[in-house]
């Protein structure tokens, strides 16, 4: 059937696929200096934020992405105290990071303050920790922020960006990864969203290659479901600075002090092994 | 953007979502005595089979569903020799079942022979084991087949059906589960596709309830990605007849004699634990 004006549709050209949500209203739209942001009311997925035509966050399914961008890397690090988030303006990743009591400070650097202001209005549940004394929200260029950072400033860098086009294009190459490597302490870990294991195998391979060239000793990709992103199957890629990514704080993961809807100790064991089809492609 | 006639779209009303694939041609359509079947040529997902307007199988992503409907239950059973598939007319599940050398006989009972004939034409890779001497393809009513079966005929029953409307409606209730229970040997296991963990939590709960009422001692749901199905996140539910579903033949899973693209020993460990949000709902 054809979808009429009561639907928001994102077409993903490389996979010849599209995902649509039924909407009752467009609640907001604006062109910021960086991108075009829209907010929709959907019938079953709550609010939907769209950036440059791509679905970014829905009320209903964002827990999958935010949990899987934070807890795996946090539990993999031996002692995660200083955390940097590049992008992540909706603040959902920040929220999950701050559930970890070891974290002393988490700086979120998103280039576009409007993403955060709109998230505060439409996704207040994701912004519930924005006033945590450990949280620092900066609106700046993430690449420049990292270039200016003192070497060894962070234990963890989480790159929670849009797709590798537009404002986030500079976040998927060796130069950027080298800057991350320099800003991490020994034993530090970078994690970056890395698109769909079904569609973006070549991108994931090139990320591993660039991360190794940039000095990271260990790299590993893992998968998770993410309904509103192209194919509904997503991945993140870890890069360790002298940190074995197959180790994690097992006991603390198993007995974590907070609840999750998707991440678990058992899911962590599985993500260490990865996805057979990606592992084969990365050999 | 609006999608034109170059797209096939499945709207899923309960979740107000839709998934579309770009197509270049409709290669076939027919109304069988049971359902309407269409075959499309897509640009990036290979061939697509649609039944009664719902996407069933694509060349590109069916491995996820077929691996996860077969290998978990096969490795959970202590000695899987006699297997029955209800539905599964595309033969992809049969193919995966027959990768297990312990299987002596696998009977596939799909009500609609046309599904299999079209799969042979458009998805020959899924039908590669149809002439295996252990395979028996029957075209009959699965409910009746089970009613007529001698008690204790099967080690494993796999219900690989369409959604719980139309021809498959009778496969999601206590009467059907009781028939399955009777047809299983002691230690036998039923596995059934159980829709999306994001959307169908109430259906999954009612399945567990009905399975327990039907006499199954153990029930457990697990998740996997499945891009072309609503939400892209899918589940299956196991029911054990006196079989602990947390046990599996670990060594044989770890050292399996065939390759997979998604299923792995580590994924099996994780599926035993399940999905936190489902586990909470099922408490």
């Amino acid at each position: 059937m054809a979808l009429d004006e009561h639907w928001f549709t994102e077409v993903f050209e490389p996979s010849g696929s599209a995902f649509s949500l039924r909407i009752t209203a467009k609640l907001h739209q604006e062109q910021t200096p960086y991108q075009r942001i829209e907010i929709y009311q959907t019938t079953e997925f709550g609010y939907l934020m769209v950036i440059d035509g791509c679905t970014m966050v829905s009320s209903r399914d964002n827990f999958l992405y935010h949990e899987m961008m934070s807890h795996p890397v946090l539990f993999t690090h031996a002692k995660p105290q200083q955390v940097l988030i590049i992008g992540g303006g909706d603040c959902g990743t920040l929220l999950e990071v701050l559930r970890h009591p070891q974290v002393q400070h988490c700086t979120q650097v998103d280039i576009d303050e409007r993403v955060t202001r709109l998230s505060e209005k439409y996704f207040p549940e994701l912004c519930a920790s924005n006033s945590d004394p450990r949280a620092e929200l900066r609106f700046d260029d993430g690449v420049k922020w990292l270039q200016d950072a003192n070497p060894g400033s962070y234990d963890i860098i989480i790159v929670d960006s849009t797709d590798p086009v537009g404002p986030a294009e500079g976040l998927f190459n060796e130069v950027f990864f080298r800057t991350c490597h320099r800003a991490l302490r020994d034993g530090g870990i970078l994690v970056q969203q890395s698109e769909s294991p079904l569609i973006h195998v070549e991108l994931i391979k090139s990320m591993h290659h660039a991360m190794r060239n940039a000095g990271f000793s260990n790299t590993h990709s893992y998968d998770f479901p993410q309904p509103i992103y192209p194919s509904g199957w997503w991945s993140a890629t870890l890069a360790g600075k002298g940190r074995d990514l197959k180790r994690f704080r097992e006991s603390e993961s198993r007995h974590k002090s907070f609840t999750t809807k998707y991440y678990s100790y058992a899911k962590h064991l599985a993500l260490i092994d990865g996805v057979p089809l990606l592992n084969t492609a990365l050999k």
Side-chain angles (χ1 to χ4, degrees), chain A:
Chain A
M1 67 169 271
L3 300 176
D4 61 15
E5 71 279 12
H6 299 295
W7 293 82
F8 171 81
T9 293
E10 176 184 349
V11 170
F12 193 69
E13 287 295 338
S15 60
S17 65
F19 180 75
S20 309
L21 289 175
R22 192 170 47 206
I23 55 175
T24 54
K26 181 188 278 192
L27 302 173
H28 184 84
Q29 71 173 59
E30 70 179 279
Q31 177 68 46
T32 75
Y34 308 102
Q35 49 205 356
R36 179 185 170 84
I37 311 178
E38 298 161 275
I39 306 283
Y40 294 92
Q41 174 72 61
T42 74
T43 60
E44 311 298 332
F45 274 67
Y47 294 119
L48 172 69
M49 181 185 287
V50 174
I51 294 184
D52 287 342
C54 299
T55 58
M56 284 294 122
V57 191
S58 89
S59 308
R60 186 163 186 173
D61 79 337
N62 76 78
F63 68 90
L64 290 156
Y65 179 85
H66 289 134
E67 290 183 6
M68 293 305 280
M69 285 300 291
S70 54
H71 305 313
V73 68
L74 267 291
F75 282 120
T76 300
H77 196 282
K79 199 176 178 186
Q81 296 182 327
Q82 302 293 325
V83 179
L84 174 68
I85 299 169
I86 299 293
D90 59 51
C91 305
T93 299
L94 176 68
L95 178 78
E96 298 298 328
V97 166
L98 292 173
R99 295 193 197 283
H100 292 254
Q102 302 88 342
V103 172
Q104 294 176 347
H105 196 83
C106 182
T107 310
Q108 174 186 299
V109 182
D110 196 297
I111 202 165
D112 195 344
E113 182 170 358
R114 292 300 301 153
V115 174
T116 299
R117 297 301 161 231
L118 289 166
S119 188
E120 286 167 344
K121 181 167 180 184
Y122 294 103
F123 303 92
E125 70 280 13
L126 301 185
C127 298
S129 290
N130 286 10
S131 56
D132 186 305
R134 299 172 295 161
E136 179 184 359
L137 275 63
R138 304 297 292 253
F139 302 103
D140 212 333
D141 181 323
V143 174
K144 189 172 173 303
W145 183 274
L146 275 163
Q147 286 167 345
D148 294 345
N150 289 324
S153 298
Y154 300 105
D155 297 307
I156 287 173
I157 299 173
I158 300 175
V159 184
D160 175 1
S161 74
T162 50
D163 301 326
V165 290
E169 198 174 355
L171 307 179
F172 286 80
N173 59 53
E174 187 179 322
V175 172
F176 175 68
F177 295 142
R178 191 168 288 126
T179 314
C180 291
H181 187 269
R182 179 183 152 279
L184 283 169
R185 295 176 181 166
D186 288 341
I189 312 171
L190 165 70
V191 65
Q192 180 152 6
Q193 75 89 4
S194 50
E195 312 280 303
S196 168
L198 191 71
I199 303 170
H200 301 95
V201 174
E202 289 307 312
L203 173 79
I204 294 169
K205 283 173 72 169
S206 73
M207 283 177 67
H208 279 251
H209 189 70
M211 286 167 161
R212 297 275 184 165
N213 281 351
F216 286 99
S217 56
N218 306 64
T219 56
H220 180 65
S221 294
Y222 60 92
D223 72 305
F224 51 92
Q226 185 52 45
I228 72 167
Y229 289 178
S231 88
W233 188 24
W234 217 243
S235 74
T237 298
L238 296 159
K241 184 175 179 173
R243 172 72 188 177
D244 179 359
L245 302 171
K246 294 190 182 300
R247 293 173 59 194
F248 70 118
R249 289 178 291 117
E250 296 205 24
S251 174
E252 288 170 65
S253 165
R254 191 194 282 265
H255 306 291
K256 63 188 160 48
S257 55
F258 50 89
T259 60
T260 48
K261 294 181 186 171
Y262 183 76
Y263 174 85
S264 68
Y265 168 71
K267 294 278 190 200
H268 199 128
L269 287 174
L271 75 83
I272 286 174
D273 196 60
V275 191
L277 78 82
L278 282 184
N279 296 344
T280 301
L282 290 165
K283 258 179 196 162

